[in-house]
């Protein structure tokens, strides 16, 4: 019998993930045994899981010939939602980078080392970054360099530098460069900014140059050159930690103001809207909710307080950044802010288009919240209401959606500089489009506002 | 434990790094046994940079303990 391997789990010969009767397991291959055993016997597993830096697992008995061939079968604690680095804001990627280096330092203190530093090995669980690849550790051999140095620079340091120094949207490059942003590309984009900062100059620019130089030679390698002292290795890791720690990005002051007011209506209307959302949450009681166009996550937070696990999606990296800062500052467990452009959501990516899942593949959620969103898609992206309805129907069973008519000041802003080609954008066609997929449970109007909120459910 | 930001390179250190890099350019890279490709250029570079950073760290620690020693002696002398 062969095991049902996860499509993304093919790189590392130490083992792989597979599914059996709906549960996720990790196969530990026999050649990796000394390293796996050292993880436990060194006390590192205990330390990292206690610190919330490594996903806990249970060792389970094998059940057939295929599983008996393993050194161990592990049942890792499941991660509620798998997110990808190209969906993270600056501070999420930075937190993931610092967690990776912290793990490396703690491993090193116990005679082990990270053999990879992939950003995809980090996930956000209860608002905090955690390493999910239990097989990332190796027994440290004195003199060995840090094999994962280049990977760390490409997955973490270079994208963070681009986000902090060039543009916050540069994180999206990770969607194209699935193995991390090549250092020569990063060096080119950084330009003179890569000369000013010592960390950028050394770890990106010179590093890229060295890679390029040696890629062009094919002489046989002398065996001893790759040797370095433990102190040198530690200094390298400290230098990377200082470089990452020193990177800052702040959304513009104007954006702050925008986020503060978030909407286009009065306090009374806002309170009425909060009441509607509160009542809907109490009735639907979702365990997972996707808040689309979440801004800084006010409504995601309401859902999380009710016990739901909320994903707060927004296309604006500034809004996601501010949202994540709240999550980190208050150690919130129930909200995960992610950068997502709904007009171009995360697709299936990688080898055989199966390595990284599309947004839709990672659903559906119990409930979807789409407040102040439809006019952005319909007017901002020329999307017909029928297409918006059929897309949202794929994301979740319950839907709370706001219709913003063309007369609304926010909709008018979108029409300010363009011809009004949206004759079909009106309430009746909105209702028709959504009723093709959903049953309307309730429609709420707000006094003093032309907007309305619909609670809907998909019956099939 | 070193405080963050302790290892920094200034212009002269960078020149040293460049010189060592130049020296290494004539030596071929080592083979690395890993499932990810660390790239030989990255390994060679890492060994050089980490060596320099490690040396700076050592010097800094000596310096710090020397400063502490002098301060301690001075405090005792001044306290008398």
């Amino acid at each position: 019998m062969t095991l049902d391997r996860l499509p993304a789990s093919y790189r590392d010969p130490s083992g792989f993930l597979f599914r059996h009767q709906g549960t996720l397991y990790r196969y530990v291959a026999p050649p990796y045994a000394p390293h796996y055993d050292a993880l436990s016997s060194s006390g590192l597993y205990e330390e990292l899981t206690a610190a919330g830096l490594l996903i806990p697992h249970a060792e389970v008995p094998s059940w057939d010939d295929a599983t008996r061939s393993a050194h161990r079968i592990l049942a890792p604690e499941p991660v509620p939602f798998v997110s990808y680095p190209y969906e993270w804001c600056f501070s999420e990627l930075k937190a993931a980078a610092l967690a990776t280096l912290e793990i490396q330092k703690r491993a090193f203190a116990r005679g082990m080392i990270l053999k990879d530093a992939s950003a995809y090995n980090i996930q956000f669980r209860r608002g905090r970054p955690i390493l999910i690849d239990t097989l990332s550790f190796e027994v440290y051999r004195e003199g060995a360099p840090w094999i994962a140095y280049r990977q760390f620079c490409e997955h973490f340091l270079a994208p963070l530098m681009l986000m902090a120094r060039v543009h916050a949207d540069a994180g999206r490059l990770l969607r194209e460069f699935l193995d991390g942003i090549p250092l020569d590309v990063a060096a080119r984009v950084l330009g003179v900014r890569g000369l000013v900062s010592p960390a950028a100059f050394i770890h990106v620019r010179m590093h890229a140059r060295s890679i390029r130089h040696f890629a062009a030679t094919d002489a046989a390698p002398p065996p001893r050159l790759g040797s370095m002292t433990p102190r040198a290795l530690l200094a390298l890791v400290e230098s990377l930690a200082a470089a990452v720690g020193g990177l800052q990005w702040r959304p513009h002051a104007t954006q702050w103001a925008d986020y503060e007011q978030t909407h286009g209506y009065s306090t009374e209307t806002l309170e009425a809207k909060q009441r509607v959302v509160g009542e809907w949450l109490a009735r639907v009681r979702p365990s997972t909710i996707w808040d689309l166009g979440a801004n800084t996550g006010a409504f995601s937070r309401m859902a999380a307080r009710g016990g739901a696990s909320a994903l707060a999606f927004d296309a604006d990296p500034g809004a996601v950044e501010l949202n994540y800062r709240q999550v980190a500052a208050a150690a919130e467990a129930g909200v995960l802010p992610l950068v997502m452009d709904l007009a171009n959501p995360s697709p299936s990516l990688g080898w055989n288009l199966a390595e990284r899942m599309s947004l839709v593949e990672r659903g559906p959620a119990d409930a979807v919240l789409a407040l102040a969103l439809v006019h952005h898609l319909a007017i901002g992206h020329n999307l017909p209401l029928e297409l918006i309805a059929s897309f949202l129907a794929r994301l979740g069973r319950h839907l709370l959606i706001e219709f913003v008519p063309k007369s609304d000041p926010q909709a008018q802003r979108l029409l300010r500089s363009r011809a009004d080609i949206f004759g079909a954008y009106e309430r009746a066609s909105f209702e028709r489009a959504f009723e093709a997929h959903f049953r309307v449970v309730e429609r709420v109007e707000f006094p003093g506002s032309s907007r309305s909120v619909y609670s809907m459910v998909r019956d099939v | 434990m070193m405080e963050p930001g302790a290892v920094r390179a200034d212009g002269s250190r960078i020149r040293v790094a460049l010189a060592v890099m130049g020296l290494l350019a004539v030596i071929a890279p080592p083979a690395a046994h890993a499932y990810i490709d660390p790239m030989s250029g990255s390994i060679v570079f890492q060994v050089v940079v980490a060596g320099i950073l490690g040396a700076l760290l050592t010097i800094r620690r000596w310096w710090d303990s020397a400063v502490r020693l002098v301060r301690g002696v001075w405090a005792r002398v001044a306290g008398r």
Side-chain angles (χ1 to χ4, degrees), chain A residues 385-386 406 421-430 432:
Chain A
L385 289 164
E386 292 75 21
K406 242 191 273 180
I421 51 163
F422 305 100
Y425 186 80
E426 40 89 25
R427 189 179 302 274
S429 34
F430 168 82
R432 229 176 7 257

Side-chain angles (χ1 to χ4, degrees), chain A residues 11-13 105 115-117 121 133 138 145-151 198 201-203 206-207 209-211 213-215 217 219-223 225-228 231-236 238-239 242 246, chain B residues 1-10 14 17-18 21 24-47 49-55 57-59 61:
Chain A
R11 284 188 171 82
D12 187 356
K105 279 190 257 183
K115 64 175 181 174
D116 46 31
N121 284 348
D133 185 4
E138 242 173 30
W146 188 29
I147 292 299
Y149 170 58
R150 180 182 69 106
Q151 195 175 38
F201 182 74
I202 295 170
H203 297 300
M206 292 303 291
H207 193 175
R209 180 172 286 196
S210 177
I211 289 171
H213 174 85
F214 281 96
T217 65
L225 191 63
S227 172
M228 61 196 254
R231 167 156 292 194
L233 198 149
L234 206 56
L236 182 77
E238 292 284 5
S239 157
Chain B
M1 195 72 185
M2 194 181 63
E3 55 280 278
V7 180
R8 286 272 159 83
D10 59 26
I14 289 161
L18 277 169
M21 285 284 306
L24 279 163
V26 294
I27 311 171
H33 303 284
Y35 85 94
I36 53 171
D37 184 359
M39 308 282 278
S40 22
S42 175
I43 293 282
V44 171
F45 179 76
Q46 172 186 166
V47 171
V49 165
I52 296 167
L53 293 172
L57 184 62
T58 310
I59 293 165
R61 283 188 181 160

